[in-house]
């Protein structure tokens, strides 16, 4: 029986992602779930990676982790909006249990505040969201 989630990590900001991943792993392990990890180049690649992995039936759900820091161009808006849109599409149309832990921030100080497990623990929150969405899906399957 499958008892595993997939953590997809957009490793553009490695150090910040380490904090997000730490929080996600702690929540998954504490809840009794196993996990695999998959690294992708950036947040825009996360929805595609989830779509590919979902076809395998190896995972109960997915934890999407990334960090988008506002820069001086509109690229921030495109990456933020399109990665969120892709995850929402997969959640609704494909009925996948996804926890969105792609943080969108103005600067690295905000990123660290959200990434650290000892602070806002957005990685842990994303893992808990994925677990909860899986349990809701199981109610209606």
């Amino acid at each position: 029986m499958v008892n595993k989630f997939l953590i997809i990590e957009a490793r553009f900001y490695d150090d910040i992602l380490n904090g997000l991943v730490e929080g996600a792993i702690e929540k998954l392990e504490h809840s009794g779930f196993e996990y695999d990890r998959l690294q992708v180049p950036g947040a825009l690649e996360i929805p595609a990676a989830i779509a590919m992995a979902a076809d395998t039936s190896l995972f109960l759900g997915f934890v999407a982790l990334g960090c988008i820091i506002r820069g001086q161009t509109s690229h921030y808006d495109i990456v933020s909006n399109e990665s969120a849109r892709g995850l929402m599409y997969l959640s609704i149309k494909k009925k996948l249990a996804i926890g969105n832990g792609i943080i969108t921030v103005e600067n690295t100080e905000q990123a660290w505040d959200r990434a650290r497990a000892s602070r806002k623990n957005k990685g842990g929150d994303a893992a808990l969201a994925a677990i909860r969405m899986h349990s809701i899906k199981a109610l209606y399957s």
Side-chain angles (χ1 to χ4, degrees), residues 129-141:
I131 293 167
R132 180 64 181 134
M133 294 310 293
H134 164 68
S135 68
I136 291 170
K137 181 178 178 179
L139 285 174
Y140 300 105
S141 294

Side-chain angles (χ1 to χ4, degrees), residues 25-68:
I25 288 173
E26 189 276 325
K27 295 296 183 183
L28 289 170
E29 288 179 345
H30 184 262
S31 299
F33 293 102
E34 297 174 15
Y35 60 88
D36 281 347
R37 294 171 64 179
L38 176 66
Q39 295 183 5
V40 298
L44 284 176
E45 290 75 32
I46 292 175
I50 290 173
M52 293 171 198
D55 286 341
T56 68
S57 301
L58 295 173
F59 305 102
L60 299 172
F62 305 90
V63 181
L65 300 178
C67 177
I68 306 167

